Each structure stands twice: as C-alpha cells, then as structure tokens.
Amino acid sequence: MTDYIEPRVLKGFRDFLPDAEITRRSLREKIESTFRSFGFLPIDTPAIEYAEILLGKGGGETEKQIYRFKDNGQRDIALRFDLTVPFARFTALHRAELLFPFKRYHIGKVWRGENTQRGRYREFMQCDFDIIGSDNPASDFEIILLIHTALSNLGIDVNIHVNHRGLFNRFLSNLDLGSKSVEILRTVDKFSKVGEDETQKNLAALAGDEKAQKILQYTGAKGSFTDVLNRITELSGGPSAESQRLLLLHQYAQDVSGSFTFTLDPSITRGLDYYTGVVFETFLKELPDIGSVCSGGRYDNLAGLYSKEKDAISGVGSSIGLDRLLVALESLGKLPDAKDCLLAIACADDKNSGLYQSLALKFRQEGIPCEVFLEADRQLVKQFVLAEKKGMRYVIIPGDNPLTDKLTLRCLASRSNLELTFEEALEKIKT
Amino acid sequence: MTDYIEPRVLKGFRDFLPDAEITRRSLREKIESTFRSFGFLPIDTPAIEYAEILLGKGGGETEKQIYRFKDNGQRDIALRFDLTVPFARFTALHRAELLFPFKRYHIGKVWRGENTQRGRYREFMQCDFDIIGSDNPASDFEIILLIHTALSNLGIDVNIHVNHRGLFNRFLSNLDLGSKSVEILRTVDKFSKVGEDETQKNLAALAGDEKAQKILQYTGAKGSFTDVLNRITELSGGPSAESQRLLLLHQYAQDVSGSFTFTLDPSITRGLDYYTGVVFETFLKELPDIGSVCSGGRYDNLAGLYSKEKDAISGVGSSIGLDRLLVALESLGKLPDAKDCLLAIACADDKNSGLYQSLALKFRQEGIPCEVFLEADRQLVKQFVLAEKKGMRYVIIPGDNPLTDKLTLRCLASRSNLELTFEEALEKIKT
C-alpha cells in the first residue's frame, strides 16, 4: 500500500523545467517584439468558452478532439482548441470597440485530445496574427512580410510559398469542376505526403484522367514568380482580379529592399475550408522536411457565424507553430542561450546575508541579474559547483565587510580569482 | 429564429482587448524582470492534471470550486485551481533534475468556479515565487526583499507585515491551547473583517475568556520591531529558535541599505493550514483597504503528498495577486502607459505599399515600432484620426518616392508638419 499520490502528468501534457521554459519564453518574446514593431496589438480570450461557440458548425475532427464538459452550473463548456474560433467570437462581440483594420496577435495555450503517437501534444502553444477589416493586397503582403521578418529575427532563413485559392478555383470552374473544388483542394494539399502517382489516381477518380492531368499541370508549374504567374493566369482563362493581386504582391516584394522574396507555388492549397484568397506556407531553408512552420491565408467572413450584422469582416492571418519551431531551432543549434543570471554572491557566513543582498541590489541596479546564495559554506567549493551547474560565469566571494572591502571575483571558466572594486567588477562582468 | 450563434463569454471570464492586455503584459514583464534579476527561474506546468493530484487530501472549498471532468479516455481530470499544488507535484516528479535551493517563479492562469458576486473571476492569473530546499532565515528574508523590490519597481510603496506562526503556536502551547491552534489561527485571521468584539467572542468560545484576552494581547502587540519582538518573545515563554529567526530577519533588513523595512505584526496568521514558519502580507501604503496584494510564508513539506522519499522539502514562497494589483494601480493612476507603437506611415497610394513597408523596416531596424497603414486615402484626414485613436504621436506622409524624398512628419498633438530627412525624423521621434 502506498501512502502517497504518484506524481505524474497526463499523456500529451508537459512540464517545462527552467532551461526549456527560458528558451520557450525567449523565443516567444522575440516573436512578440517583431509583432509589436509592426504595430500589431495583443489580445487575450478565456481558455474556456460555451461549447456551442467553439464547435460552431461542428466538424468531425474537432468534435472528437475537443475537451468538453459541464461546469457546476450544468453549462455545456469546452476548452479552446485553436485561437481562430475565439477570435471570430471576440470580433463579433467587440466589433464596436475595435479600430479597423485591426491588427492583432494572440499567443496562448490550446488543447486537443489528439492521438499522441504522432509526436503531437494535447496542450500546446498557438501564436496567431491577423489583419481584419481590410481586403486589400497590402494586407496580404504585410502578413507575408511579417512572417519573413519574425523568423529572420530568430536567425532563420525561410522560403515562403504563396498561392491564390481564388485563382485555382477560377481554373477549376473553367474545367467545370467548381462543384468539386473542396475535394480537389484537399487532394492537392496531400501531394507532398502521398506523391504524384497517388495524387493523380485520386484526382482522376474525382475529375477523370484528362482533367486530372491538367490539374497537375497547374499545380506543378515551376519557375520564376513571373513565369509561374503567366502560366497559371493562362491556364485559368487569362488575367483576372486574382492574377492581378498576385502580380501586385510580387511588385511589393521587389519594392522592399533586402533579402525578402517569396515563391509562387500553385501546389499550396491549405486543407482548411475557410481560406478564399491568398494562402501561404513557410519552410525552413535548412530543414524543409519538417514541413511548414507558419501557414495561413485570406478568409472572407471571419465573424459571420457569430454576427447579427450581415456585412462581412474579411481578413488575412497566419499562425506560427512554436513547438515545431523549437524542435527545428534545437536541431539547427540555433536555440537562443537565454540564461540571464550569470553572477552569484557566495555565502561565506549567513549572519551577513543582509549585506550580501545589499551588494546584490547594487549589481541589479546596474542591470546585472545577481543571485545570492543562501547556505553558508566556508569551503565555497560546493557553491562554485552549484554556480557552474546553473550555467553562471562569476561568483563573488565576499569578505567580512561586503559593502566596503574589495571584492573577490571568481571566474568559473578559468578558475581564477580577481581582487576588484565594485566598479571594476561591474566592468569585468559587463564585458 | 436566429441564424447566428450569440457571441458571449462565460460568467466570471473575460476578454482582454489590446489596451487592457498591453497593460497586463507590461505589469507582468516588469515583475518577471525583477524575479530574473534575483536569479529566480521560470517553470510551466499543464493547465490540466489528474484530479487526484489536484485534490490531494481533498478539502471542502476546493472540491466545490474545481473544474473537474472526464476526458475521452475516461480519465478523471481537472483544471488547476492554483499553482502551489502543481508545484508540489512538479517538485516530487523532477526532484532529481532540480538544483537546490531551487528558486522558481510561475505565472499562469488558474480556474475556480467561484461565486462571481464578490467581484471574483473564474479565470485569473496567479504569480507565485518560492525558494525550496532551504530552511534558513536568509531564504525567508530573500522572499520578503523580493516582494519589496518587485513592487517598488512598479512605483508602489508597500508595508510588509511579518509574523512567525511557529512562535504563535509556542505561545498557544504554553496556554495549553496547542490542540486548538488551527481554529484559533483562523479566528485571528478574520480579525480585520469582523472586528475586535466579534473576535474576542469567538476566541472565548474556543479558549475561555481569560485566554482569549491573552491571545488578543499577543496578536495586538504594537510598536517598533524590537518592542513587539520583545513582547511576544516574553509572552511565548522566552527566547526560542523562532524568536531568534525574527531577530535575524530584522538584522538583515537593517543591513540592506535604502528604504527597505517591514513590520512585525503578530495579528498576521494566514488562514491556510500549510504554513508553519514565517508568514507575511503586503499592503499598499496608499490603498491599505484593498487588502494584501502579496502574501505567503514558510511551509515544512511541500512535496510530501507526492513523494515516496521521506525527507521533506521545506520552502518559503509568496504569490502576487495580479488582478488586485491592476485594479489598485488603476485607481492610483499608476498604470504603466505601455503603448509602444507611436508612429504610422500613411497610405497615400496603395501601389506604393511595398515602399512604405521598406521605409517602415528602416525605422524598425532603429528600434522604432512603426505601423504601415494599408488603406489608400488621398485626403489623409481619416488616417490622422485613426492614428490619434490608436494613441500614436506621429504620422509620416510619404511622397511619391518614399525611400529617397524628404519625409513629411506630422505631429498629431500640434497638428503641424515637418519636412525632414530620415535621420532627422528618427531624431525627432526618439526624443
């Protein structure tokens, strides 16, 4: 018989120990800082909402994966499974209080009772950013530029693949396949997973051999942005509002100086139904095989399901997969070393702990994080070892008068001690 | 019949619109920055845990308030209602991976199905910080100093009230009331709510008139730290390890230069059972009536309930009430103005949107957040109004060659325009 409760976490859930949590926060802060530099504003919504709101029109996968339950008042409630649905509800509810075009980001946890065998988690962090209330190409472009900038600021080179679902639909309509566009889009979306033969077979089953061939010609168009654009414009029946928009995006990209480019890739369709315009996926140049780390697109009517008003709010947005990005950065050796406390004050005699704190405050006031060790130990060796394990660089060995005596600064890497004034120690630590 | 789903949030839950979210984040970041400057490390734990873990020994209030349900695998699970219980479970599970003394902080949402009539929320943010694996007075002191520093860094003056529950228990044992200490502590804890007469009556019912009188003498002791310490030391039967600890905390405080002081207040007991040593509450000098914004204390055996090992991990910790603090800062007019995007580039012609982004990137590279407006409007007045509503200070009115022409910088407050080079504009905006 045990007299304790076994400590464990649920399958698909994770604790974050300090090193992992510091890294995740640092990544998040850098991304947020880019969002803020573009004038995007943060919002937050509750983790729990009415189930009818989160389930909306319903949908097989969502219904199966959502954490849904009754609260003590017998309300039918659920945990959010993404940040898009809550944002649609938020927009409908606060429409009158928002300034449009509204540029927002939202970083928060979501929960899905997914099969964990595929390396998926049941609790994970989403990071969404959108511009709503504007249908112009400049918004599409800003979202794409923001993806590029946010990831560049993390030291990552990316290829952004862009397509226009409306143009593809125009092409399908010309083939008399308009009514099958959802199935065809989904089939094309799986190309990279199942390969060309399988895709052709599946398309042929939907549209016949000849049309399947034409679809693969369209989605397989390769070359420079202009070459591909010309090709798919022609295949879709000549210039249109959709092809004009793609042309404008290309011109905008050329107007932005620096290394910013993106690829026109007619095979990108995004599986989700609600995209109607430009869609995009983002691949790491050094690790393309892990799949898209940031995907999104333009949608027509974000808040329609929750709005009495009939005028639609269209928008364009994207989502960074933080967990996938963390794994990628780790395997590229590009995880930021975000440890910021590199200095400890050893505890030579705990009757002086107040004085050690006072000395530490002086360093902190100069912007240097500083930990005070709390357990007295005349030998100090244990404290050096602890500081090293914590990833610190320096330990101050205080004398009997920590605030007035010279300081002994131990450099852990070289195992050498220096006798310094406070100002000299500060100088040494800052460099 | 409606053809839409009514957008609403659950009672006791809140959306955070950008202004409120920016403020909350700014507060949180400042507090975190103080934690980090002391070498405290962040952790995270799942929002959902096994119900048996969260409920532990059980407890009336918790059982009633917890969000508890079955997942799709019929596991009995629940949302965390505080960060203390998950931390105990975390410590038991990861004991071998942690470096002790372990100084950690954890900021995250918790959920309680509380009565919302008392102005309480069902989803709110907790902010906990603890030092575990160390029983010495220097740890107690560091937590108290950290409370003071974190709140001072927010521009708030606080009175920290400290007491020692062990000393109070020693006093009660001398009165032969050791077996009733939990009830007596709870009764004393309610003093400020119910007043002296009611407290005396309740104490008399527990301990008789004479002893009730003595208890009130003890808890009502007033004066300088030393006066009060002498008084309660005497009432508890003379010097003890507990009174020595309080004396040492006082000496530490005197050793820290600056404005740092705290009050010895024998009426502070904290209602919660698990505190065994020093306890503390924190009041705003300018708004004492809102109650303690940061409370905590020392406990004996954090992870005992989840540990096979019999050696206890003691610790000392505290929790900042972020929601209460936000309300307090608002009524004191001390909310940080955390808007950081004060500059927009107007959209004179949307064929130039790429060039506007290019110009914006130049500002962003200089550390100046800059929003690009996306909707063309030759008149520009609407865009000035939008920028003002967003709380911005400047709008750049670009010419036909935004990257090479001089810039027109409009100062929204003075409604005046300046013709400037990029460098001059940068200079102006930075000041």
Side-chain angles (χ1 to χ4, degrees), chain A residues 212-371:
Chain A
Q213 203 59 46
K214 283 200 172 151
I215 294 169
L216 287 173
Q217 270 173 27
Y218 184 102
T219 60
K222 297 240 176 336
S224 72
F225 195 101
T226 320
D227 288 348
V228 175
L229 181 56
N230 287 340
R231 183 84 181 109
I232 62 175
T233 301
E234 184 198 323
L235 285 170
S236 60
S240 59
E242 291 83 3
S243 67
Q244 279 304 110
R245 180 175 288 241
L246 287 172
L247 191 61
L248 200 51
L249 294 183
H250 183 54
Q251 181 217 302
Y252 289 162
Q254 290 182 308
D255 286 345
V256 168
S257 45
S259 65
F260 178 56
T261 58
F262 48 81
T263 305
L264 180 56
D265 178 353
S267 75
I268 298 291
T269 64
R270 305 293 306 141
L272 295 166
D273 292 352
Y274 54 80
Y275 293 119
T276 52
V278 164
V279 289
F280 32 82
E281 297 190 346
T282 306
F283 301 93
L284 305 190
K285 284 188 183 166
E286 297 176 75
L287 274 181
D289 293 344
I290 63 161
S292 175
V293 296
C294 184
S295 309
R298 172 167 287 285
Y299 40 84
D300 263 349
N301 191 359
L302 174 71
L305 191 56
Y306 310 102
S307 298
K308 215 183 299 191
E309 295 87 357
K310 287 294 153 245
D311 52 322
I313 299 176
S314 73
V316 55
S318 189
S319 185
I320 295 181
L322 277 186
D323 289 291
R324 193 177 283 187
L325 199 55
L326 270 171
V327 171
L329 285 170
E330 188 166 16
S331 63
L332 290 175
K334 287 188 175 175
L335 277 184
D337 181 11
K339 283 210 176 73
D340 50 11
C341 186
L342 306 176
L343 172 67
I345 295 178
C347 185
D349 184 341
D350 58 9
K351 82 172 194 309
N352 283 339
S353 287
L355 296 170
Y356 302 156
Q357 290 287 358
S358 198
L359 179 60
L361 287 176
K362 283 175 73 180
F363 282 106
R364 292 172 194 142
Q365 273 156 12
E366 298 290 335
I368 308 284
C370 175
E371 177 171 353

Side-chain angles (χ1 to χ4, degrees), chain A residues 25-280:
Chain A
R25 265 157 197 266
S26 160
L27 191 68
R28 192 184 149 159
E29 280 160 19
K30 282 184 184 167
I31 291 170
E32 281 201 63
S33 161
T34 306
F35 290 162
R36 298 286 282 268
S37 79
F38 274 66
F40 278 60
L41 301 173
I43 66 161
D44 192 30
T45 66
I48 309 174
E49 305 238 10
Y50 282 102
E52 66 161 9
I53 284 177
L54 294 181
L55 290 169
K57 296 173 197 160
E61 277 304 290
T62 303
E63 289 246 24
K64 266 183 260 164
Q65 295 183 351
I66 197 167
Y67 285 93
R68 180 178 181 177
F69 54 101
K70 294 264 189 342
D71 72 5
N72 289 338
Q74 293 308 304
R75 294 175 196 89
D76 181 13
I77 62 177
L79 290 166
R80 65 185 180 204
F81 61 90
D82 73 4
L83 300 177
T84 307
V85 173
F87 184 45
R89 193 272 307 147
F90 174 99
T91 302
L93 187 57
H94 301 290
R95 194 167 182 158
E97 301 157 79
L98 303 176
L99 296 169
F100 291 100
F102 180 48
K103 304 178 183 184
R104 85 88 174 78
Y105 69 91
H106 188 184
I107 303 179
K109 285 182 177 178
V110 302
W111 296 269
R112 291 184 197 168
E114 284 203 271
N115 187 342
T116 55
Q117 281 168 346
R118 290 176 295 164
R120 304 247 175 155
Y121 298 107
R122 291 180 173 170
E123 174 179 74
F124 55 98
M125 194 81 86
Q126 289 267 56
C127 169
D128 281 19
F129 48 106
D130 293 79
I131 303 171
I132 60 167
S134 169
D135 182 36
N136 60 29
S139 314
D140 296 340
F141 181 74
E142 183 163 272
I143 290 290
I144 297 168
L145 181 64
L146 181 49
I147 294 171
H148 171 85
T149 310
L151 294 170
S152 294
N153 287 347
L154 296 173
I156 306 172
D157 280 336
V158 293
N159 277 321
I160 305 178
H161 290 233
V162 175
N163 192 21
H164 196 309
R165 252 166 87 151
L167 190 64
F168 189 56
N169 280 334
R170 183 179 286 273
F171 159 75
L172 292 178
S173 294
N174 285 345
L175 290 181
D176 265 336
L177 291 171
S179 61
K180 291 182 177 166
S181 84
V182 171
E183 296 94 317
I184 292 171
L185 281 165
R186 284 196 190 146
T187 307
V188 169
D189 190 47
K190 293 192 181 113
F191 186 102
S192 63
K193 275 181 204 151
V194 304
E196 176 153 7
D197 291 353
E198 184 76 14
T199 306
Q200 176 151 20
K201 216 175 70 187
N202 294 337
L203 287 174
L206 283 166
D209 274 338
E210 197 187 333
K211 289 181 180 174
Q213 203 59 46
K214 283 200 172 151
I215 294 169
L216 287 173
Q217 270 173 27
Y218 184 102
T219 60
K222 297 240 176 336
S224 72
F225 195 101
T226 320
D227 288 348
V228 175
L229 181 56
N230 287 340
R231 183 84 181 109
I232 62 175
T233 301
E234 184 198 323
L235 285 170
S236 60
S240 59
E242 291 83 3
S243 67
Q244 279 304 110
R245 180 175 288 241
L246 287 172
L247 191 61
L248 200 51
L249 294 183
H250 183 54
Q251 181 217 302
Y252 289 162
Q254 290 182 308
D255 286 345
V256 168
S257 45
S259 65
F260 178 56
T261 58
F262 48 81
T263 305
L264 180 56
D265 178 353
S267 75
I268 298 291
T269 64
R270 305 293 306 141
L272 295 166
D273 292 352
Y274 54 80
Y275 293 119
T276 52
V278 164
V279 289
F280 32 82

Side-chain angles (χ1 to χ4, degrees), chain B residues 302-315:
Chain B
L302 175 70
L305 191 55
Y306 309 101
S307 298
K308 215 183 298 190
E309 295 86 359
K310 288 294 153 246
D311 51 322
I313 299 177
S314 73

